[in-house]
Structures are given as C-alpha cells and as structure tokens.
Amino acid sequence: MSERLEDIAVQMVAGGRGLLAADESTSTIKKRFDTINLESTESSRRDYREMLFRSDEAMKKYISGVILFEETLFQKAADGTPFVDIIRAAGSIPGIKVDTGAKPMAKYPGETITEGLDGLGERLAKYYDAGARFAKWRGVIAISSSLPTRGSVRANAQALARYAALCQEAKIVPIVEPECLMDGKPGDHNIDRCAEVTEATLRVVFEELADARVSLEGMILKPNMVIDGKNARKASVDEVAARTVQVLKRTVPSAVPGIAFLSGGQTTEEATAHLSAINGFDLPWLVTFSYGRALQDSALKAWNGKPENVAAGQREFTHRAEMNSLAAKGSWKKDLEKAA
Ligand code: 13P
C-alpha cells in the first residue's frame, strides 16, 4: 500500500467504497447502547465493534476505512487479534478520531470550540505507529436565526486547519469535518438557512486551510448535507441533493480528492437516498459516505447486545454498507431496500 497522502486519500473515497465512522466516544457509545438497554463496558464495546469489523463481505467490498476511537485503535478482538489487523486484512484502512470533543466556547453562549490541539503532534506519531493512516477532527457549527457567530466559525476553522497541518506532517490524511448541525437546538431552521451557514463556513474553512499550508490533495472533506433542521423537515431528496451540490461547488476546490458526508441525524434510508441523488450530478470530486448512525443503527438494533444475534447484526450492517456503496456510485434505488 502506498504511503503517499494523495494515494491514501483517493483510496478512502474511490470505487464506491466509503468510511465507517465507529469512533463514538465513551459517552456517545453509552447513549447508543442505552437504546438497547446494554451496559457500556470495555468488553461490550469490544463485542459490538468486533461484530462490525468481522463483517467480512461489508468490510472487503464496501468499506474503505474505519474511524476508530482511541480505545478501539489499541483494542483486541476476543481471540486476541488486534482490531487494526482485522481491518487491514479486509483491505480497509484504520483511522483515528483525534479531537477531544466540542466544549462550550468562552464568551460565545450556545456555541462550542473543539479541543485537542495540545500535544497532538506526539499523539499522531503514536497513532501512526499503531497503524492509523487517516484521522478525523469534528468542528461543530450551531445553526439558529442568530447563530453561528463569525468568531465561532473562525475559531473552529482555525483549529481544523492546525489539526490538518499536524496530520500531514505525521503522514496521516486529515478528514476535515465542519459539521453545521441539523439536529442542534432549536433545529427549526430551513434549508435556505442551512445553505447560507454551510456556504459561509466552508469558505472560512478553506481560507484557514490555505493559511495553514495544508495540501488539499492530501485531505478529505467531511461536510453536512444542505438540509432542513431536524424539526423542520420538508425539502425533497432532489432539492437536498441540488442545494448540497450547489454549495459544495461554490466552496470546495477541485484539488480536494474526495468528499465523505456525515449522516448527522438523517434516517438510514434518507442518508442513502440523498447520497445517491448527489452522485447523479457531474462532480469534480469523488463523493461517498462517512456515516456513523446511518450505517450502524439497524445493525445495533438487530444485534441487541446478544451473542446469538451477531449474524443478524452483520447482515444489517452489510445491507446498509451495500446500499450506501450503490449510492456512492449514484445507482441506489428504493426497491433494492424492499428486495432485501
Ligand atoms: P453520523 O454519520 O452519525 O453523523 O456520524 C459521523 C461522524 O463521524 C460524526 O463526527
């Protein structure tokens, strides 16, 4: 496997494959496990992730890389095989979430700044040695009638750019994720407001990336789609796709090899339908998925924390991965869901 950043970046988004975001922090995975009344422990987290990573067909055919939480990067399957080895054996690339979370931003009520820059260079060297070849940092942008502020967008974009530069020095491809929230509070903004905020945010992010001397060819962008807030949904699939493509074409240089969307609170099938419709356009980048909830929700339910349901959980995960892989090629159809 090539170690050039440009080659790794293309491998992450090419061929109809996409990323599995399995990097839920300890507090986020607890929330997910709460929905199936399962206690979150080191071994329940291991069992759940082992189910996903040992879904051979999904991992080989549809998943180009897996974003891991630090615990998982160094964790072993029940039989002692390091997860990193299982992921690599399937031809997939291990990656690592390196931010330490979005924290309330001083003097900016209702907004957050993502932390994790201190000591990041040393941490990246450790993650590289453990096998990680890409990383993720999520900046969170709140949307309301009065938010975001310029100050918060600028601060988050600067942090994303500092992170990306450090990654490239460490031979790790940065996934740059500025998420304009669909499911924040109050979540009643419409698609026009989302378009306006996403466009303004991406402009600032690419300005900061340039100032930080980040090589666009060696990064992946992970944006939100342009979509109504969670409590104001009404735009059609075609409208979401058209508005998303319009904003991205206005702001994302074609030197960026790939875009991998987050799902952000869309239902599993919506996230697939939107991605497929977006890929119906003529685009200058490879466009795929980097879904967390939209790839995992149905698998988590089917598994339900029980060893006897591992095969059922893997079937669900494989199905969603296949549907999203079709969407990454623009060839998903609703009746394929029913057929399955
Ligand atoms: P969702 O697809 O569930 O939004 O998660 C993706 C992710 O990695 C968010 O940082």
Side-chain angles (χ1 to χ4, degrees):
M1 194 177 101
S2 165
E3 291 275 304
R4 288 178 66 233
L5 292 177
E6 295 84 336
D7 297 336
I8 296 168
V10 168
Q11 217 189 318
M12 287 164 65
V13 291
R17 297 201 304 163
L19 301 165
L20 166 62
D23 59 324
E24 299 83 4
S25 62
T26 310
S27 64
T28 302
I29 197 74
K30 182 185 176 310
K31 280 187 226 152
R32 306 277 186 267
F33 282 5
D34 283 347
T35 66
I36 58 165
N37 290 314
L38 176 69
E39 193 189 346
S40 174
T41 63
E42 208 222 308
S43 62
S44 64
R45 295 192 289 272
R46 176 201 66 200
D47 292 345
Y48 175 59
R49 281 151 176 165
E50 178 162 1
M51 171 185 80
L52 298 175
F53 306 159
R54 286 205 195 268
S55 298
D56 229 39
E57 186 193 343
M59 294 291 295
K60 285 192 172 131
K61 288 162 76 171
Y62 312 125
I63 303 296
S64 57
V66 185
I67 317 175
L68 304 167
F69 188 58
E70 188 178 49
E71 173 186 80
T72 323
L73 180 70
F74 295 99
Q75 207 169 23
K76 295 181 168 73
D79 70 358
T81 315
F83 277 147
V84 164
D85 292 354
I86 294 174
I87 292 166
R88 280 188 181 139
S92 190
I93 310 170
I96 173 84
K97 180 234 286 297
V98 301
D99 67 69
T100 55
K103 306 287 159 62
M105 182 161 157
K107 310 241 182 193
Y108 284 77
E111 300 189 289
T112 59
I113 178 72
T114 301
E115 297 189 345
L117 286 172
D118 287 356
L120 181 56
E122 292 86 59
R123 283 166 58 216
L124 286 166
K126 196 175 77 174
Y127 299 147
Y128 181 93
D129 288 341
R133 290 297 177 270
F134 68 90
K136 182 192 104 170
W137 177 292
R138 173 173 173 260
V140 180
I141 307 299
I143 308 184
S144 71
S145 53
S146 55
L147 298 181
T149 60
R150 295 165 71 93
S152 154
V153 171
R154 182 65 67 182
N156 275 289
Q158 267 168 3
L160 276 165
R162 293 303 318 140
Y163 139 83
L166 283 162
C167 283
Q168 291 187 335
E169 279 209 341
K171 299 189 170 58
I172 286 180
V173 173
I175 296 179
V176 173
E177 179 179 6
E179 176 175 8
C180 303
L181 286 179
M182 159 193 190
D183 65 350
K185 288 194 183 88
D188 59 357
H189 60 274
N190 64 16
I191 192 169
D192 298 326
R193 178 77 182 134
C194 179
E196 177 179 59
V197 169
T198 304
E199 183 171 335
T201 299
L202 288 173
R203 265 188 223 299
V204 177
V205 166
F206 280 98
E207 259 175 50
E208 292 295 338
L209 288 168
D211 281 354
R213 303 182 174 171
V214 171
S215 152
L216 298 180
E217 290 80 358
M219 64 161 272
I220 297 296
L221 180 71
K222 176 164 173 167
N224 53 285
M225 293 181 191
V226 173
I227 192 165
D228 298 296
K230 183 121 180 148
N231 300 320
R233 302 296 306 287
K234 63 174 192 304
S236 66
V237 169
D238 288 342
E239 188 179 2
V240 168
R243 300 295 298 272
T244 300
V245 168
Q246 182 182 51
V247 165
L248 294 176
K249 282 192 170 175
R250 286 176 177 176
T251 53
V252 184
S254 56
V256 173
I259 292 177
F261 286 104
L262 60 95
S263 60
Q266 301 179 43
T267 66
T268 53
E269 203 173 308
E270 280 170 357
T272 306
H274 289 147
L275 177 62
S276 197
I278 288 167
N279 272 304
F281 287 80
D282 187 22
L283 304 170
W285 336 266
L286 291 160
V287 175
T288 189
F289 55 90
S290 175
Y291 292 163
R293 286 162 284 179
L295 271 173
Q296 297 183 51
D297 279 354
S298 50
L300 178 67
K301 267 201 208 82
W303 175 58
N304 201 28
K306 305 206 167 62
E308 63 270 27
N309 294 337
V310 164
Q314 291 180 326
R315 269 197 304 278
E316 285 296 329
F317 173 52
T318 306
H319 173 63
R320 283 284 24 108
E322 182 183 6
M323 293 298 108
N324 284 306
S325 170
L326 288 168
K329 296 183 268 195
S331 49
W332 172 84
K333 298 273 176 308
K334 195 176 173 65
D335 35 331
L336 295 168
E337 298 281 350
K338 292 197 197 95

